[in-house]
Amino acid sequence: MSVQLEAIALCGGYGEIQILKQVSVALKTGQVTAFVGSNGAGKTTLMKLLAGLLPASQGQILLGGRSVSALAPPARLALGLSLVPEGRMVFPDLTVADTLRIGAYLPQARSGWKDRAEHMYELFPRLKERRNSLAGFLSGGEQQMLALARGLMSNPSVLLLDEPTLGLAPTIVDELFEILARIRDTGVTIGLVEQNIHAALNLSDYAYVMEDGKVALSGPSDELLDSPAVRAAYMGVE
Ligand code: ATP
């Protein structure tokens, strides 16, 4: 199976503060890859480096086998890499329909935006019901769905999601995870940062456990789910 997005010995952080230390990860095509680990482990920082929002001080990032390390975020997006950042960040004064429309601002996505929006309404029926509502009036779960749908409007090959379920009620979390599985089944490669390690390992095919800016452990998700060491350290199971 081919690798869609790869980081090789990636280092970087915030100015002088180096957070990531030689991080190497690979997201296989059409799979969900989870990034888990405690607060401050560097998961968000890794997402920002992959999307180009923070510079890498060392290492390589390959998208579809091509180096994108030197490219700014819009250029990476144009090549198929879309990040849905932590905290939803939808514009409160835009309607759902307009939010989807601006998600398709890239030239190659613009012409088919109406069809893609219809596809999003099939994937997220709640958004269809609220298509003329202002984003600011949506519930937290609906805003997260809108952020996800906006991220998909550019028709990405890789979708990176930073803690999409943060602060959401359990039933909405289940709904979102079902939608992520459907998105994966359409062939999109997904990178998922998630606090809920159990749910993340259940959904994902492969997972990286991060600690202190490094990959502490990685493997097929079902193996990590069964690993006594992972269960004891990260799931509070004796
Ligand atoms: P969380 O689950 O809490 O979001 P995380 O694994 O995503 O954790 P990061 O947000 O990547 O972790 O943070 C990694 C480290 O980088 C932390 O020590 C954090 O304090 C530091 N950090 C985050 N943002 C900044 C910033 N803007 N400037 C300096 N240091 C930062």
Side-chain angles (χ1 to χ4, degrees), residues 142-224:
E142 289 162 352
Q143 287 189 14
Q144 185 58 59
M145 288 177 190
L146 181 58
L148 232 165
R150 180 184 56 190
L152 284 167
M153 283 299 288
S154 61
N155 207 7
S157 58
V158 180
L159 186 66
L160 299 177
L161 302 167
D162 194 357
E163 303 212 9
T165 65
L166 200 68
L168 301 184
T171 53
I172 307 286
V173 172
D174 291 347
E175 202 179 323
L176 250 168
F177 269 71
E178 277 169 28
I179 292 171
L180 292 184
R182 286 175 61 192
I183 295 169
R184 183 239 330 253
D185 293 345
T186 65
V188 178
T189 303
I190 297 177
L192 173 69
V193 173
E194 180 57 52
Q195 289 278 337
N196 182 343
I197 180 163
H198 196 265
L201 292 180
N202 263 321
L203 172 72
S204 59
D205 301 281
Y206 198 88
Y208 292 91
V209 181
M210 294 190 65
E211 281 303 327
D212 190 25
K214 288 179 260 189
V215 173
L217 202 66
S218 64
S221 301
D222 49 1
E223 286 177 19
L224 294 185

Side-chain angles (χ1 to χ4, degrees), residues 1-237:
M1 185 169 284
S2 63
V3 171
Q4 194 64 28
L5 180 66
E6 190 171 12
I8 304 164
L10 200 60
C11 302
Y14 306 87
E16 296 290 291
I17 310 165
Q18 289 295 300
I19 304 291
L20 296 189
K21 299 150 195 153
Q22 303 274 336
V23 171
S24 294
V25 300
L27 280 68
K28 290 199 180 140
T29 309
Q31 291 197 348
V32 176
T33 302
F35 298 89
V36 297
S38 48
N39 286 333
K43 306 177 298 291
T44 294
T45 307
L46 174 61
M47 293 302 116
K48 287 182 177 167
L49 264 96
L50 290 174
L53 298 172
L54 285 174
S57 56
Q58 278 180 57
Q60 279 287 329
I61 298 166
L62 304 177
L63 178 62
R66 160 181 181 173
S67 175
V68 296
S69 311
L71 300 182
R76 294 188 203 193
L77 182 65
L79 291 173
L81 179 61
S82 179
L83 169 67
V84 179
E86 195 174 350
R88 299 165 206 150
M89 299 207 237
V90 293
F91 295 110
D93 296 333
L94 279 187
T95 63
V96 166
D98 286 341
T99 303
L100 295 185
R101 187 176 194 159
I102 59 161
Y105 77 94
L106 286 171
Q108 69 259 38
R110 225 172 273 160
S111 63
W113 84 269
K114 281 188 179 156
D115 288 345
R116 279 206 72 67
E118 284 309 319
H119 179 57
M120 290 307 128
Y121 292 138
E122 279 164 30
L123 208 50
F124 304 94
R126 282 158 171 273
L127 295 183
K128 186 170 189 175
E129 289 164 26
R130 307 257 193 297
R131 63 203 294 166
N132 296 316
S133 302
L134 296 180
F137 290 147
L138 300 181
S139 70
E142 289 162 352
Q143 287 189 14
Q144 185 58 59
M145 288 177 190
L146 181 58
L148 232 165
R150 180 184 56 190
L152 284 167
M153 283 299 288
S154 61
N155 207 7
S157 58
V158 180
L159 186 66
L160 299 177
L161 302 167
D162 194 357
E163 303 212 9
T165 65
L166 200 68
L168 301 184
T171 53
I172 307 286
V173 172
D174 291 347
E175 202 179 323
L176 250 168
F177 269 71
E178 277 169 28
I179 292 171
L180 292 184
R182 286 175 61 192
I183 295 169
R184 183 239 330 253
D185 293 345
T186 65
V188 178
T189 303
I190 297 177
L192 173 69
V193 173
E194 180 57 52
Q195 289 278 337
N196 182 343
I197 180 163
H198 196 265
L201 292 180
N202 263 321
L203 172 72
S204 59
D205 301 281
Y206 198 88
Y208 292 91
V209 181
M210 294 190 65
E211 281 303 327
D212 190 25
K214 288 179 260 189
V215 173
L217 202 66
S218 64
S221 301
D222 49 1
E223 286 177 19
L224 294 185
L225 206 50
D226 288 340
S227 148
V230 170
R231 293 171 75 85
Y234 301 101
M235 290 187 233
V237 180

